[in-house]
Amino acid sequence: MSDKTPRGRAKRTLWWLLALTLALTAALGVGVATGSVTVGVIGGSARLEYTAVGAAVNLASRLCELACDGEILVDRQTVQLAGAEAQERAPISFKGFDEPVAHFGV
């Protein structure tokens, strides 16, 4: 499988995040969500920031807040694209999402 496919990129990203988390001696939690985002420079003339916005960004942030040290939490779409082994967690309600969100520990 080529790393240029969405599935290949997702799988490579998950493994990279796992390695990074282990390398940092389990001192942080990581949240990953797959989806469309908008990126660009946002702000006024006094302060400009390059940022990403969208539902996937918001979900990744919520998963990151939920993750314990050394834990990687991902959404269903990321698991499906990566074809990774993951432990399904109980769906949880997050601010900004109408329905409880299925998520997984990698």
Side-chain angles (χ1 to χ4, degrees):
M1 173 178 23
S2 169
D3 276 351
K4 294 181 181 182
T5 66
R7 184 179 181 141
R9 287 192 305 266
K11 188 175 256 185
R12 186 179 69 214
T13 299
L14 282 175
W15 282 113
W16 182 85
L17 287 170
L18 180 59
L20 174 64
T21 301
L22 293 173
L24 294 172
T25 56
L28 77 127
V30 175
V32 179
T34 299
S36 297
V37 301
T38 301
V39 296
V41 178
I42 296 177
S45 60
R47 180 182 170 116
L48 294 176
E49 291 185 35
Y50 188 80
T51 192
V53 295
V57 175
N58 294 340
L59 181 54
S61 175
R62 303 288 185 239
L63 291 171
C64 188
E65 290 172 0
L66 183 64
C68 296
D69 288 349
E71 186 174 41
I72 300 173
L73 297 180
V74 300
D75 68 340
R76 182 178 305 280
Q77 188 172 356
T78 302
V79 170
Q80 289 171 342
L81 284 171
E85 297 267 334
Q87 181 181 21
E88 187 168 6
R89 307 286 176 86
I92 189 164
S93 296
F94 290 118
K95 180 180 174 183
F97 294 86
D98 295 334
E99 299 291 325
V101 176
H103 64 288
F104 302 78
V106 183

